[in-house]
Amino acid sequence: MINLPKPTENLGGLLRMWVLEPAAVASLSSGVLSLSGQGDVILLYITPESSHADCELRRSAAGHYYELSVGGFTPRIREEAQRLFERMAGRSYVVVLRDGNGQYQLAGNPQEPLRFSFSARTGSAVTDRNGYEVKFERQCTMSLQQIQDPFGG
């Protein structure tokens, strides 16, 4: 018999998102992600209520694949964010996520990094959000992977 018990904790939502160039990944084996350095790591603040990491198994004539999408909203349209996102646009990255349970996941990998896109948004009312929608997407052969804390925290 296979038993999948009720988790003791289940805090949803992504709390942190680190973005890595594929070349920054030194190795990935058995849930351990080793980095060649942390100089090229980008820590993105994403509002917790807007963040998402979706992984859907799909089938095609060639077999199964995963549709991965990671993203969220970062507040306030500002020059430094605009410059960073313009530099990142159209490039591919590996994304490390930490959720409300303190678990780390990896979206993408050096062989199948996720493509970055963004859009600036502001509304017509004072209460509307002002900032950037960011998204990393790709069709992959691997789903989101559970990993240990790659930053040694």
Side-chain angles (χ1 to χ4, degrees):
M1 175 192 336
I2 296 174
N3 181 17
L4 184 63
K6 179 181 176 183
T8 57
E9 294 181 0
N10 188 23
L11 302 174
L14 299 177
L15 300 180
R16 291 263 170 133
M17 182 182 296
W18 293 268
V19 180
L20 317 165
E21 300 247 354
V25 176
S27 67
L28 173 62
S29 177
S30 302
V32 177
L33 175 69
S34 298
L35 305 176
S36 59
Q38 293 187 18
D40 294 331
V41 176
I42 301 167
L43 173 60
L44 289 181
Y45 173 77
I46 303 293
T47 57
E49 67 278 358
S50 74
S51 60
H52 68 89
D54 302 313
C55 178
E56 185 176 342
L57 179 63
R58 299 211 174 197
R59 182 180 169 105
S60 71
H64 290 88
Y65 66 94
Y66 294 94
E67 189 76 44
L68 290 180
S69 176
V70 175
F73 183 82
T74 188
R76 194 162 172 251
I77 293 176
R78 54 201 190 276
E79 188 176 331
E80 67 272 18
Q82 183 75 28
R83 281 195 313 267
L84 173 65
F85 296 152
E86 285 175 353
R87 195 170 67 241
M88 293 173 64
R91 295 176 63 194
S92 295
Y93 297 90
V94 176
V95 183
V96 174
L97 310 165
R98 189 180 79 203
D99 67 16
N101 296 312
Q103 295 177 318
Y104 288 81
Q105 294 182 324
L106 185 67
N109 59 66
Q111 295 75 36
E112 297 178 311
L114 309 181
R115 174 138 346 260
F116 175 78
S117 64
F118 78 100
S119 61
R121 300 196 181 260
T122 188
S124 59
V126 173
T127 56
D128 290 340
R129 296 191 310 180
N130 171 295
Y132 300 91
E133 291 284 344
V134 298
K135 191 178 286 188
F136 300 85
E137 297 179 296
R138 182 178 181 125
Q139 295 175 352
C140 296
T141 58
M142 297 177 69
S143 67
L144 293 169
Q145 301 171 65
Q146 292 288 119
I147 59 170
Q148 296 176 14
D149 178 357
F151 307 109

